[in-house]
Amino acid sequence: MRHREPLSLNALLLVPALALAALACVAVSARHLALAAAATGTLVLVPIVFRLWTRTWYRGLVVRGAGIFLIGMHVPLLLAGALAYSRIGCTEGDCPGLYLLGVLVSPVAGALSSVVYWLVGRPPV
């Protein structure tokens, strides 16, 4: 008989984390900044509390998580800049909206990157 391995707690938390990130992105695009801030805050707090209760923190994890936040935060900014630059005939009034969307989504992407790192991050060897 084949035994099924139990689901890991990381896998169980990734689904709500992705759902919260999607909710925050939809709220940002709909200009509901209070909902976006609440979803982003929840996205950060729930896995941190989970990790505090279930795992040991090792030295440098918070600093690495902050670095991953900064890296992940710049991805939407770079994508928005590349998309605006690649548009042929982009008028001056149209491009700032695309940049603004990248700026508003960037904290959500940074928080999601940091949360995923804290959930699956392993101590350095």
Side-chain angles (χ1 to χ4, degrees):
M1 283 205 118
R2 191 172 147 198
H3 292 98
R4 294 180 72 188
E5 293 186 28
L7 286 174
S8 72
L9 293 175
N10 291 342
L12 292 175
L13 275 178
L14 280 176
V15 172
L18 291 173
L20 282 169
L23 175 68
C25 288
V26 168
V28 164
S29 66
R31 306 280 192 234
H32 292 293
L33 296 182
L35 180 62
T40 303
T42 306
L43 174 67
V44 172
L45 287 179
V46 169
I48 289 173
V49 170
F50 168 77
R51 182 144 183 129
L52 283 173
W53 280 338
T54 61
R55 292 188 181 174
T56 57
W57 286 76
Y58 57 88
R59 194 170 124 200
L61 183 67
V62 174
V63 175
R64 287 187 192 105
I68 296 292
F69 174 83
L70 290 174
I71 291 169
M73 188 174 163
H74 284 83
V75 170
L77 295 173
L78 293 172
L79 284 175
L83 287 174
Y85 182 74
S86 68
R87 290 177 115 176
I88 297 174
C90 183
T91 62
E92 289 183 23
D94 190 26
C95 289
L98 193 56
Y99 290 134
L100 181 63
L101 184 63
V103 168
L104 292 175
V105 171
S106 65
V108 176
L112 182 64
S113 302
S114 198
V115 165
V116 168
Y117 175 72
W118 283 335
L119 285 175
V120 298
R122 303 282 183 250
V125 179

